[in-house]
Amino acid sequence: MSQINVGIIGFGTVGAGTFEVLTTNREIITDRVGAEVVVKKIADIDIESDRGVPVRPATEILTVDAMDLIDDPEIDLIVELMGGLDKAKEFILKAMENGKHVVTANKALLAEYGAEIYRAAEQHGVGLALEASVGGGIPIIGALKNGLSGNRIQTCVGILNGTSNYILTKMTQEGLPFNRVVDEAVSLGFAEDPPTLDVDGTDAAHKLAIIISIAFGSPVSFKDIYREGIVDVTPDDIRFADEFGYRIKLLAIAKDLGDRLEARVNAAMIPKDHILANVNEAFNAIYIEGDFVGPNLYYGLGAGRRPTGSAVVADIIGLAREIRSGAKELMPPLAHVRPRANKIVIQPIEDLITPYYFRFSALDTPGVLSRIAGILSEYGISISSVIQKGRKTKGPVSIVMLTHEARESAAQKAILSIDELDVVAEKTVVIRVEGNQL
Ligand code: HSE
């Protein structure tokens, strides 16, 4: 086969970026595939707006009907970049039924309906590639499928949401509150309006579900992943974290515990000298530990037309090579030829064991510290450091503590009990600490 025909559904930011990569780098892509990759059709509800990249002949290539691509017998590979759930799923499944290979960047779809889509790809003997669904231009899926495939993956800690990372970076650098930074980011076009799924941890959980599915060989729904966002992080907590030697990041964490998997998304304190603490602005990074390779770090832009277009094209090239070579059996979507024997069991958050940061808002009266410490000790929580700032104005003061490792269920109960004390003025802030185990 000297030509691989591609149909792109969705001509928005990523669709246009994909088309731009394919046209700009056509020659090297042809050399790398051994066949020409041709965009035969592009479907979008808007085929009039200028995407900053010429499509010629537009009347032959552009269509408003995705079925023109899915039913075209000459198209080998469908690229789904429309986003959304139901319609995108319908198109992908129909394309697979028609024997077409699929590339998608749709993290929400894979995180929710991955199991069904992965199964459909295998049933119909077609390839499904999803590099662009996680980390934009960072080739983390390729690394897990190929470069790291000799390893048991032990730990994965990612900064997977650029919007949150941008917000936390600005809060840290400029000492501004969350809402102010969000408003600025929205008005500058750096964040969605409102960026709910970015700041509440959902987007990072989507991506973590996909990483886990590939790293551990079985589909996981994002709904099984505990998630918290960054909405409650305050400049005070960022400042106290700094005094203790930490930065606050929104982390997506997966750890192999043997019989169970720790999987969660939450704002976390990490040591300032850890490499992930220094991933700033809208950058993403994924730290992986494999049993033989040791630590690995992947860093880059997690979104945007060009980086995400680069990831989509990598997937197109990968599948195009397999199509051209006439591979009898394609690599399964999760890169495990034999399905994992047991379902992945995710550890309930209550069983998590980690150090904690607590910020109590308490009256500055004799005995307060000992009452708080007494309750912590009742629940077996051991304090490792304390800061109490002198009172500048009337009213409650912050008492800030770091603990040694403690069980989440104990921490939750202790905080409930502390928050009932008459000397405690506001709900205690709890932030998990990724200590030296990283
Ligand atoms: N909304 C995502 C982010 C972009 O902020 O990282 C792409 O997944």
Side-chain angles (χ1 to χ4, degrees), residues 113-156:
Y113 298 111
E116 185 182 345
I117 294 169
Y118 306 143
R119 206 167 40 242
E122 295 198 59
Q123 264 166 11
H124 296 293
V126 295
L128 170 72
L130 42 86
E131 182 67 72
S133 64
V134 180
I138 304 173
I140 183 62
I141 302 296
L144 289 168
K145 282 184 169 179
N146 300 302
L148 300 175
S149 56
N151 288 260
R152 260 174 214 285
I153 302 302
Q154 297 170 314
T155 302
C156 166

Side-chain angles (χ1 to χ4, degrees), residues 266-297:
N266 57 245
M269 291 181 23
I270 38 175
K272 267 194 264 186
D273 58 0
H274 191 279
I275 209 156
L276 285 180
N278 297 291
V279 173
N280 287 321
E281 305 282 338
F283 279 87
N284 282 200
I286 302 129
Y287 171 90
I288 302 267
E289 271 177 31
D291 57 351
F292 280 81
V293 73
N296 259 227
L297 186 80

Side-chain angles (χ1 to χ4, degrees), residues 240 243 364 387-392 397-400:
F240 286 125
E243 284 192 43
D364 197 1
I387 301 177
Q388 187 194 331
K389 294 287 177 197
R391 197 167 17 159
K392 284 196 197 124
V397 291
S398 288
I399 300 173
V400 189

Side-chain angles (χ1 to χ4, degrees), residues 107 133 160-164 192 198 203 207 284 302-303:
K107 61 211 158 169
S133 64
L160 299 179
N161 184 265
T163 305
S164 295
E192 307 264 349
D198 293 310
D203 177 75
K207 295 166 181 167
N284 282 200

